[in-house]
Amino acid sequence: MASEDITKLAESLAKTKVGGGQLSFKGQSLKLNTAEDAEEVIKQIEEFDGLEALRLEGNTVGVEAAKVIAKALEKKSELKRCHWSDMFTGRLRSEIPPALISLGDALITAGAQLVELDLSDNAFGPDGVRGFEALLKSPACYTLQELKLNNCGMGIGGGKILAAALKECHRKSSAQGKPLALKIFVAGRNRLENDGATALAEAFGIIGTLEEVHMPQNGINHPGITALAQAFAVNPLLKVINLNDNTFTDKGAIAMAETLKALRQIEVINFGDCLVRSKGAVAIADAVKEGLHKLKELNLSFCEIKRDAALTVAEAIEDKAELEKLDLNGNYLGEEGCEQLQEILEGFNMASVLGSLSDDEGEEEDDDEEEEEEGEAEEEEEEEEEQQQLKERGQGEQQSLTPKKIIDSQDSTPVPSPPVDVATFLAFPSPEKLLRLGPKCSVLIAQQTDTSDVEKVVTTLLRISSVFKDDAPVKTAVHETTDALMRKAFTSATFNSDAFITSLLIHMGLLKSEEKIKAVPSLYGILMTLNHVVQQDYFPKSLAPVLSAFVTKPNRALDSCSFARHMLLQTLHQL
């Protein structure tokens, strides 16, 4: 290690904060790659008697450095709080699990009894969850009260691993007479989707002691929301529910409203940008009116709520003496509706609790074509869910069949799935439809796309990437279909690559256009797909700097997909 590096490290460590049993290296931008790099940090840890909290946020710890830091932690049995968010900046995804395993094993060896574990803002993906899985199942976490895993890119797979680990922890700790009593759970921006959320809901239902749940921006639709609602119903101490920027629809909102009626300690409800719609808003209003006397904040902003439903919500808070904020911004109230809303609250002497209405969308105009498309999309979604339920019911029944019934069932003719063609998939994309197109889906879509039309190529790419999932069959189908399409486009003499990247950035909402073009609702799928595309031989390397420049710029939509963004930027920098 160079002398100037040692000097710089020493200066950083001089800023180390000590007090109240806490040793903090927070925000010092330490680059700890080797055992030598970590010597001063280890010294501080070893010399700290009664270490209860260790802050390593805002630094970067490599595998070798993690091993020697772990060695120092093996004697720190009093450690209770691990503030280890944003601890692997610039690391390869493959480096993070072994580093976490070393640190976790040290806590187990030390006999620590953790109260708080914060691993937020570490883009470790599903594999990273394996890195602290053993720790979660160990006696070191039987006492855990706060688990924070915000913005880690866990995905469905990681969510399932996490859920299983929490259930195992509860089982083992219960056997010792002291069941896991988790109070705070944070896992926003993780692309958990329905399957991941449902798995975690099962764990929440077993735990039963939650006070705060924060799971915003996870791509959860109403089946996952309904599963969470059922789990929340058996967590009577819940004070905060933050599910911002998921997709309830009225089905999920009604299920959640039923649960709210059973909860008595609720203080904060954040369902903003959750598409609860008018019917869902009325159901939630009924729940608020019936109880929730400790309610301090209700956020139903940007939920496509119309005037009458919004006014019903306002009327429901009349006797909520502790309410501090009501957010109904970004809905369809119109100027008159906004005035009526304010009048109602003024009548209750509660005008001060109303948040801004500056982004109100005005009274919604009926658009028959859009309503028809939405209706068709919902019908298809319901049809797919019914098929899945039938499949699961069939599996359950098959296990209980007698030999005679098995023979009879083999004679029966299976009901075929409805046929899917390319046009149907592109009109209403879903992972199931892509898989049902069969092994030739990549060829079919490429053949039926006019690659001389840049806009059609961009639109088709976005439709394909929108169904991306970590699930292996779906991921493979998306990659193969994308490869066939983009190889055909980029190898065509008439294809304008510059026009393509410009159009793509506009549709992603990263570049402004004179024309009014609606950006895709989520960038996760296209970012993960582009991470694959840029590594292929057909991709023009001249486009990499342009793509990198725009993906690097600050952008709210990109911030909500930080794991996918990190993966793409890391790949682009290596080209």
Side-chain angles (χ1 to χ4, degrees), residues 472-486:
V474 177
K475 184 193 292 187
T476 300
V478 169
H479 286 172
E480 290 178 352
T481 307
T482 302
D483 285 341
L485 173 68
M486 298 316 302

Side-chain angles (χ1 to χ4, degrees), residues 508-510 520-524 527 555-562:
M508 291 173 69
L510 307 182
V520 292
S522 171
L523 294 180
Y524 179 78
L527 290 173
N555 183 284
R556 183 183 173 188
L558 286 170
D559 290 342
S560 67
C561 303
S562 58

Side-chain angles (χ1 to χ4, degrees), residues 502-563:
T502 300
S503 177
L504 180 61
L505 291 169
I506 290 171
H507 281 276
M508 291 173 69
L510 307 182
L511 182 62
K512 290 184 179 180
S513 170
E514 293 180 1
E515 300 177 21
K516 192 174 181 180
I517 295 176
K518 189 176 181 180
V520 292
S522 171
L523 294 180
Y524 179 78
I526 185 60
L527 290 173
M528 293 300 284
T529 303
L530 285 172
N531 185 52
H532 169 79
V533 168
V534 299
Q535 299 178 62
Q536 308 310 308
D537 56 4
Y538 58 73
F539 181 75
K541 297 300 182 276
S542 60
L543 298 181
V546 180
L547 188 56
S548 180
F550 280 92
V551 176
T552 305
K553 286 183 178 181
N555 183 284
R556 183 183 173 188
L558 286 170
D559 290 342
S560 67
C561 303
S562 58
F563 171 70

